[in-house]
Amino acid sequence: MIEIPLQSDLGIEHVADLQAALMPHLEATEPLVLAGDQVARVHTAGLQLLHAFIRDRAARGCETTIATPSPTLRQAARDLALAVCLGVDVPHGETP
């Protein structure tokens, strides 16, 4: 198992840093755990990148989980999921 700590700021201006940290592990066959306990700020772009990374790994048959999501990360994911379910537009770069 590989564990990667997520950075504290998943704002749009830090998405490139997040992508740089994740991409070397895209094709790793070992289960991957993303530690989300330090996340203090989230934008939609950060959630989108996490979703795409986890989806792409799953398509390769690779397991990825987010462990210990911070309250901020947990709420941002809930807010975005609800907005999508309701068909509400999400402002660029912000969670609802």
Side-chain angles (χ1 to χ4, degrees), residues 50-76:
L50 287 173
H51 174 263
F53 178 75
I54 292 168
R55 179 202 62 213
D56 291 351
R57 280 184 46 84
R60 290 171 168 80
C62 302
E63 179 185 345
T64 309
T65 57
I66 297 179
T68 60
S70 69
T72 300
L73 180 55
R74 187 181 306 272
Q75 189 61 50

Side-chain angles (χ1 to χ4, degrees), residues 10 19 39 53 63 65 82 85 87:
L10 299 181
Q19 185 175 25
V39 176
F53 178 75
E63 179 185 345
T65 57
L82 180 60
C85 288

Side-chain angles (χ1 to χ4, degrees), residues 7 10 14 16-17 32 41 61 64-65 81 85 93:
Q7 61 214 46
L10 299 181
H14 298 286
D17 296 334
L32 181 64
R41 181 173 174 251
T64 309
T65 57
C85 288

Side-chain angles (χ1 to χ4, degrees), residues 1-6 22 25 30-36 53-54 57 63-68:
M1 177 179 67
I2 302 168
E3 184 170 327
I4 299 173
L6 294 174
L22 296 176
H25 305 284
E30 291 181 67
L32 181 64
V33 175
L34 304 174
F53 178 75
I54 292 168
R57 280 184 46 84
E63 179 185 345
T64 309
T65 57
I66 297 179
T68 60

